[in-house]
Amino acid sequence: MAGTQEAEVLLSKRVQEMVLDGEEPPALYICRHGEDTDDYSTVSQIPVIDLSLVSPSAASTDISIEELQKLRSALSSWGCFQAIGHGISSSFLHEMRKVAKEFFKQPVAEKKKIAKTVEEFEGYGADPVPEEGQPLDWSDRLVLEVHPPDNKNYNLWPEKPESFREILEDYTKKIKMVAEVTSEVFAKSLNLDHNCFLDELGDQATITARFNYYSCCQRPDLVLGLKPHSDVSAFTMILQDESGLQIRKDDKWFTVPKNPDALIFILGDYMEIMTNGIFKSPVHRVLSNLQTERISIAMFYNPPEDIEIGPRDDLVNEENPRLFKNVKGYVTTYFQYYQKGQRAIHTAQV
Ligand SMILES: O=C(O)CCC(=O)C(=O)O
Ligand SMILES: [Fe+2]
């Protein structure tokens, strides 16, 4: 168990502290060996969708029909897209990034006031210690449950910057609205009853916010900001300030380009299960960078944990046989595999 203990010691010191101390990544962070660090040059084809054209209230025109087809194709092939026209103003997105940056810029001692313990998920720190042999991520995080209101654990919310709480509450409300509209649009793109995903996830859907801070790294060729994984959520909405996030498709990595007005949507395993595999939950990762630090805010839109989730009946027929079982408590299985650096979705296959 030496590896595990060593990981615990390393995780109690944050990446930001190692960078300030001029340290090179310790062995437990090393997961790549001189691979290219500049996959940034890959010309990205990640689709951009204007949600205002396809929202339930939008008029049906040739353009909106085409956009909806583009969305369906994006979700079936990439499992992700960049959304514009989502209704959250540029200035608010800027505020949100700013407050996240201000939080991470504070001295580590200030942030450690809301530190999580190694095994917990919520609070400031890093992921729980992975299984032996699995690398650590070159990043620091703050995870907060933000919806429903009863899930909020205010003693883990930062007191500084002072505007943090108000802006995050406001962002949560806006993101919830975007998530609900998008759930309708996803259903519409599959010719399903518009409310079907909403009814299933409903008011019980939970939202978790994960603030990721990727410090610069002297050796970006050796580490990753975040290891390859798929999300467990129904879908995740990400705000980034710099590029670095990559999506796996056709055995290649594609960088999501920087677009300050866009929200990046990534589908999670639950959506792949609910759509009987029509929509994909893509593997993604985050690269480290020598010169540019990066911040992202991921908002996970999740079904309530205690409900059973399975493929929708209207998506299963003779031509499209059922690919997944109904699952309950899949989150637990997901994290068991996540800690081994593996995907869990095969455990839900029939
Ligand atoms: O930092 C990012 O852009 C991705 C974050 C992510 O994939 C996650 O938090 O699950
Ligand atoms: Fe993710």
Side-chain angles (χ1 to χ4, degrees):
M1 293 302 279
T4 307
Q5 277 160 11
E6 196 188 334
E8 279 186 28
V9 173
L10 279 174
L11 288 175
S12 67
K13 180 162 184 178
R14 295 310 320 126
V15 167
Q16 186 181 17
E17 291 175 275
M18 290 191 273
V19 172
L20 290 173
D21 293 347
E23 288 175 37
E24 285 213 354
L28 279 180
Y29 282 89
I30 293 177
C31 61
R32 353 170 51 206
H33 298 281
E35 283 168 58
D36 253 5
T37 51
D38 70 344
D39 312 48
Y40 289 103
S41 57
T42 316
V43 178
S44 182
Q45 303 145 17
I46 291 166
V48 178
I49 304 287
D50 185 345
L51 284 180
S52 72
L53 291 176
V54 289
S55 80
S57 56
S60 179
T61 60
D62 287 352
I63 295 176
S64 71
I65 293 168
E66 203 178 302
E67 197 73 355
L68 197 61
Q69 279 163 354
K70 196 167 122 195
L71 175 67
R72 181 180 167 144
S73 148
L75 297 176
S76 326
S77 54
W78 289 90
C80 81
F81 64 96
Q82 291 235 61
I84 55 168
H86 44 65
I88 307 184
S89 70
S90 298
S91 58
F92 190 79
L93 295 181
H94 175 75
E95 279 303 305
M96 191 62 220
R97 279 189 290 258
K98 189 164 147 229
V99 84
K101 230 176 253 181
E102 281 169 9
F103 168 74
F104 285 111
K105 282 281 166 238
Q106 298 177 101
V108 175
E110 178 65 34
K111 289 179 287 194
K112 283 193 171 167
K113 288 184 185 162
I114 49 165
K116 61 194 268 312
T117 62
V118 173
E119 289 313 322
E120 285 166 340
F121 280 97
E122 202 177 357
Y124 171 72
D127 275 355
V129 177
E131 282 210 1
E132 207 161 347
Q134 291 303 310
L136 307 181
D137 294 331
W138 194 255
S139 52
D140 300 335
R141 306 209 170 101
L142 170 64
V143 176
L144 297 172
E145 297 299 336
V146 293
H147 184 80
D150 282 354
N151 285 11
K152 286 189 263 190
N153 216 336
Y154 280 127
N155 55 352
L156 291 174
W157 288 44
E159 281 178 6
K160 290 185 202 159
E162 269 166 30
S163 57
F164 186 98
R165 189 192 272 213
E166 193 188 327
I167 292 182
L168 180 57
E169 305 261 35
D170 208 1
Y171 189 55
T172 303
K173 274 192 214 128
K174 293 182 195 317
I175 278 289
K176 181 169 177 282
M177 273 165 56
V178 173
E180 288 174 356
V181 168
T182 315
S183 300
E184 286 188 58
V185 176
F186 288 176
K188 190 170 145 189
S189 78
L190 291 166
N191 295 321
L192 298 175
D193 168 23
H194 294 187
N195 286 319
C196 72
F197 293 128
L198 264 187
D199 289 346
E200 198 155 346
L201 306 170
D203 256 359
Q204 311 296 318
T206 68
I207 305 177
T208 307
R210 174 144 99 155
F211 295 77
N212 299 296
Y213 175 54
Y214 304 94
S215 296
C216 297
C217 184
Q218 289 298 315
R219 297 298 310 269
D221 55 327
L222 297 182
V223 302
L224 284 171
L226 178 54
K227 63 173 170 251
H229 67 284
S230 65
D231 290 350
V232 67
S233 59
F235 53 90
T236 309
M237 293 151 282
I238 301 171
L239 188 59
Q240 66 175 359
D241 64 345
E242 297 291 339
S243 56
L245 170 63
Q246 296 190 316
I247 309 286
R248 189 86 178 155
K249 181 169 175 285
D250 303 333
D251 294 328
K252 285 197 245 62
W253 290 109
F254 293 87
T255 302
V256 182
K258 177 171 156 177
N259 177 346
D261 293 337
L263 283 174
I264 305 159
F265 275 73
I266 297 188
L267 300 188
D269 287 358
Y270 273 125
M271 189 53 86
E272 182 162 337
I273 294 170
M274 281 192 282
T275 60
N276 199 34
I278 297 178
F279 289 171
K280 300 293 182 295
S281 160
V283 171
H284 51 285
R285 69 175 187 183
V286 178
L287 295 181
S288 268
N289 193 292
L290 180 63
Q291 277 149 354
T292 317
E293 59 179 30
R294 174 174 185 268
I295 280 190
S296 73
I297 302 143
M299 302 290 272
F300 300 92
Y301 190 58
N302 307 305
E305 260 185 48
D306 52 354
I307 66 164
E308 198 172 84
I309 298 272
R312 292 199 51 80
D313 286 341
D314 30 20
L315 296 176
V316 177
N317 50 46
E318 245 170 65
E319 278 161 51
N320 302 291
R322 186 180 244 272
L323 297 182
F324 295 102
K325 301 182 266 207
N326 285 5
V327 291
K328 201 171 169 189
Y330 174 71
V331 174
T332 310
T333 316
Y334 169 90
F335 280 109
Q336 281 163 356
Y337 280 84
Y338 184 88
Q339 294 298 72
K340 294 186 216 166
Q342 293 169 13
R343 292 198 68 182
I345 195 143
H346 66 277
T347 65
Q349 279 162 356
V350 289

